[in-house]
Amino acid sequence: MSLTVPALLTPSAGAPFERGTVERRELGAHDVLIDIAYAGICHSDIHQAREEWGRAIFPMVPGHEIAGVISAVGSAVTKHAVGDRAGVGCFVDSCRECEMCLAGEEQFCLRGNVGTYNSKSYDGSPTYGGYSTQIVVDENYALRIPEGISLDVAAPLLCAGITLYSPLKHWGAGPGTKVAIVGMGGLGHMGVQLAHALGAEVTVLSQSLSKQADGLALGADHYYATSDRQTFRDLRRSFDLIISTVGADIDVDAYLSLLRFEGSLVFVGLPENKQSFRVFSLTGARRNLSGSNIGGIRETQEMLDFCAEHGIGSVVETITADDVDKAYDRVVNSDVRYRFVIDTSTIPAS
């Protein structure tokens, strides 16, 4: 028997959110039911709810930064128990058979993973995300949230946290390395904390110095304004790794010039326009240009455990269900420090 749960829905592209309900599937043998406490707002929620990334599925319930407590488990569940603190990230299923899934890189599933929302399960049914009070998910795609992290600051880790942790680990950020984080926003402020905890020397490259105090407080060693062209002269050949978290166009050649021999510039932010560069910017020092996309289940769990060990969480502003439309506009205007999370107890109609 399916479960009807309160949710925030947008009925069409760009339409205001409305209170309503969605149907969650019947609890299967390997499923867990999570009572959602907090749902983070990711900029990708806004792109999809406003249909800026292509045709979307409506009505839509966004949200892939989900934190809560398990209230029921299926008969064959072994990985979780009632009362466990749990989270759900950007996908809720994958084929489990392809080389990427078998390698623990389910985010790159060759069949295509099943997104937490604005997607279709392999049986063709639409998925609905975390702007709701409960979600049913296969135990293999639910994450354990350690006791050392409160649920509100944990929610954005399920997307923003893993989006930065994965490239930092893959490209070897640690003691003796110099890492630059481009942008001091929802993604960037996580990158600063994680790179610092990994032992790297961390520099923030931001359009202005308006968030300098925050960046230094979160663990940055240096902070520079990219609007000042002297920055690019002073920092030439300085970094082993640069991670761009911004959704705006950047001067790729200028940032490549900041890399040392065999350094890497990695995109995790998603500019809407094509980005261009001169091949000479790579060949002059055997530099690398790449991108990264969230992480697999195993690595996401590793990230959560790492954050608990090092006291890392997202810096959040908690809002009610009535504030979501305004919050979307504020995110677009970069008016948040640094991540909105929805208190889902405010979703049911009073």
Side-chain angles (χ1 to χ4, degrees), residues 149-174:
I149 315 174
S150 62
L151 292 177
D152 55 347
V153 304
L157 300 181
L158 277 302
C159 176
I162 186 58
T163 294
L164 272 297
Y165 183 82
S166 187
L168 286 168
K169 290 288 288 188
H170 181 79
W171 275 276

Side-chain angles (χ1 to χ4, degrees), residues 148 166 317-318 341:
S166 187
E317 181 177 334
T318 303
V341 294

Side-chain angles (χ1 to χ4, degrees), residues 224-236:
Y224 290 89
T226 56
S227 56
D228 182 354
R229 298 307 297 180
Q230 187 62 37
T231 291
F232 291 90
R233 290 187 284 270
D234 291 345
L235 299 180
R236 185 174 174 80

Side-chain angles (χ1 to χ4, degrees), residues 226-297:
T226 56
S227 56
D228 182 354
R229 298 307 297 180
Q230 187 62 37
T231 291
F232 291 90
R233 290 187 284 270
D234 291 345
L235 299 180
R236 185 174 174 80
R237 296 180 181 268
S238 291
F239 302 109
D240 302 289
L241 173 64
I242 301 173
I243 301 179
S244 176
T245 72
V246 298
D249 299 333
I250 66 170
D251 184 341
V252 178
D253 291 303
Y255 284 94
L256 287 172
S257 74
L258 304 184
L259 292 171
R260 292 173 165 178
F261 175 67
E262 293 189 334
S264 297
L265 169 61
V266 180
F267 283 89
V268 297
L270 300 172
E272 293 183 28
N273 300 317
K274 292 182 179 180
Q275 305 298 290
S276 61
F277 66 96
R278 297 174 66 248
V279 173
F280 287 107
S281 296
L282 298 178
T283 59
R286 201 189 290 164
R287 299 182 177 110
N288 306 291
L289 182 62
S290 190
S292 183
N293 180 28
I294 54 174
I297 295 297

Side-chain angles (χ1 to χ4, degrees), residues 47-229:
H47 287 304
Q48 293 180 79
R50 295 179 175 177
E51 212 168 36
E52 296 169 345
W53 283 354
R55 189 172 181 180
I57 301 171
F58 294 99
M60 183 189 298
V61 178
H64 57 211
E65 298 180 341
I66 300 169
V69 178
I70 293 175
S71 58
V73 299
S75 59
V77 169
T78 61
K79 296 184 176 181
H80 306 279
V82 172
D84 285 354
R85 306 162 84 246
V88 179
C90 297
F91 56 91
V92 291
D93 203 359
S94 63
C95 81
R96 315 182 195 205
E97 298 176 347
C98 72
E99 60 182 292
M100 302 313 301
C101 286
L102 294 176
E105 301 281 5
E106 299 94 340
Q107 75 274 29
F108 299 123
C109 174
L110 298 181
R111 181 177 175 184
N113 64 52
V114 177
T116 304
Y117 70 91
N118 192 31
S119 184
K120 288 189 176 181
S121 301
Y122 294 137
D123 65 7
S125 59
T127 58
Y128 299 107
Y131 297 9
S132 58
T133 58
Q134 293 176 305
I135 189 170
V136 175
V137 63
D138 185 288
E139 65 173 324
N140 293 296
Y141 297 82
L143 288 305
R144 177 183 54 81
I145 297 178
E147 290 294 336
I149 315 174
S150 62
L151 292 177
D152 55 347
V153 304
L157 300 181
L158 277 302
C159 176
I162 186 58
T163 294
L164 272 297
Y165 183 82
S166 187
L168 286 168
K169 290 288 288 188
H170 181 79
W171 275 276
T177 62
K178 293 187 176 182
V179 174
I181 304 295
V182 182
M184 185 64 189
L187 293 177
H189 93 287
M190 289 306 313
V192 170
Q193 294 179 80
L194 290 164
H196 173 74
L198 287 166
E201 182 178 330
V202 185
T203 297
V204 175
L205 301 174
S206 185
Q207 181 68 16
S208 74
L209 299 179
S210 64
K211 300 176 182 178
Q212 182 176 23
D214 289 354
L216 296 177
L218 290 174
D221 299 287
H222 316 284
Y223 202 109
Y224 290 89
T226 56
S227 56
D228 182 354
R229 298 307 297 180

Side-chain angles (χ1 to χ4, degrees), residues 307-327:
C307 287
E309 178 184 353
H310 293 274
I312 294 172
S314 183
V315 177
V316 303
E317 181 177 334
T318 303
I319 61 172
T320 71
D322 294 325
D323 301 323
V324 172
D325 290 310
K326 291 180 180 178

